[in-house]
Amino acid sequence: MSTVFSKIIAREIPADIVYEDELVLAFRDIAPSAPTHILIIPKHEIATANDVTIEDEAALGRLFTAAAKIAAEEGIAADGYRLIVNCNAHGGQEVFHLHMHLVGGRPLGPMLARK
Ligand code: AMP
């Protein structure tokens, strides 16, 4: 089942795209949690982190190299940032096309609320 991210890849709906190559696409989150909040996605649909296979390793590795490049371009590399991949209900995943959140531009606080 295709998600809104497939429509962004196909340019069927608009997005503020900041990076693209043959394996991944990156665009600004529509509801940013920090001054920089960018989503980096593989161009082929992988529903969740549970669904990754060995064939996905090149694209999944590229998420990290793209993140490092984008963080440098955004001017947040030295201060630091957070990379997040949510999975399924307990992870709070809303869009079932695996994506890496690149979040930064301010101190982000503890990684998880302690409940
Ligand atoms: P997650 O909870 O990890 O599945 O995150 C999904 C993210 O996608 C959320 O941060 C949303 O704000 C973001 N999002 C949903 N639709 C769009 C869209 N059309 N363009 C950009 N970001 C979106």
Side-chain angles (χ1 to χ4, degrees), residues 4-5 8 13-16 27-33 37 39 84-87 91-97 99 101:
V4 65
F5 291 174
I8 289 173
I13 62 169
D16 186 355
F27 51 91
R28 295 189 192 279
D29 196 292
I30 204 167
S33 300
H37 188 169
L39 303 175
I84 304 165
V85 177
N86 295 319
C87 180
Q93 186 175 4
E94 294 173 354
V95 179
F96 288 84
H97 181 136
H99 49 281
H101 296 254

Side-chain angles (χ1 to χ4, degrees), residues 19-108:
Y19 177 80
E20 180 172 24
D21 64 26
E22 78 282 13
L23 292 176
V24 304
L25 181 72
F27 51 91
R28 295 189 192 279
D29 196 292
I30 204 167
S33 300
T36 293
H37 188 169
I38 290 165
L39 303 175
I40 313 168
I41 68 173
K43 282 189 165 175
H44 69 287
E45 190 173 281
I46 306 166
T48 81
N50 289 332
D51 302 301
V52 302
T53 70
I54 200 162
E55 281 78 32
D56 300 320
E57 286 180 353
L60 296 175
R62 189 67 61 82
L63 296 181
F64 278 89
T65 46
K69 180 176 165 59
I70 296 163
E73 286 169 1
E74 292 284 311
I76 62 171
D79 283 339
Y81 51 89
R82 188 167 290 154
L83 301 174
I84 304 165
V85 177
N86 295 319
C87 180
N88 276 344
H90 283 195
Q93 186 175 4
E94 294 173 354
V95 179
F96 288 84
H97 181 136
L98 187 149
H99 49 281
M100 175 183 277
H101 296 254
L102 165 58
V103 187
R106 64 169 171 78
L108 296 170

